[in-house]
Amino acid sequence: MKPAAGLRRSSVVFALIGALALMLALEAAHAAWRAPAEARRIAASADLVRSLGLTDLALFTEARYARHPALADLHSAFQDNPMSFEHFPSGSFVPLPHALPASALGFSADEVSR
């Protein structure tokens, strides 16, 4: 893209930076203007959840063990193969449980009991 005659490239860059800064300021003003309405909406949603007795938020829609980590069984992540890679992106966001039982992968009783 070639700038118009008489304009330097730096002038175009500074004009773009100024336009982006103006848009950022407008977004911040809009957020401040909408804050009271959003606070009322969130309070209304909280009242609805409380009155209906809804459960916790489902974090992801992909796999049943990633939807709600507190309600997942420990082996559902390895339903295809114990050595398979995580094939859902949300699995990288959900941390491992703090208390995992000691286990081993082996082919005989002696290998597993070690």
Side-chain angles (χ1 to χ4, degrees):
M1 181 175 129
K2 190 167 184 163
L7 283 179
R8 295 184 311 188
R9 289 185 184 182
S10 61
S11 299
V12 173
V13 169
F14 284 125
L16 287 174
I17 290 174
L20 291 174
L22 178 65
M23 285 194 291
L24 181 64
L26 289 173
E27 287 180 6
H30 180 262
W33 176 63
R34 292 287 303 162
E38 288 300 313
R40 287 191 300 273
R41 185 189 61 79
I42 291 171
S45 294
D47 289 340
L48 178 66
V49 167
R50 194 177 306 108
S51 66
L52 295 177
L54 299 176
T55 60
D56 293 335
L57 174 69
L59 298 177
F60 305 104
T61 60
E62 295 165 340
R64 68 175 185 255
Y65 61 90
R67 285 187 199 129
H68 198 295
L71 301 177
D73 56 320
L74 293 177
H75 300 291
S76 61
F78 305 108
Q79 59 193 347
D80 296 330
N81 183 357
M83 298 299 289
S84 65
F85 291 113
E86 176 65 46
H87 53 272
F88 292 112
S90 61
S92 61
F93 298 122
V94 178
L96 290 173
H98 293 291
L100 283 177
S103 62
L105 181 63
F107 298 103
S108 69
D110 293 335
E111 288 178 339
V112 174
S113 64
R114 283 190 252 170

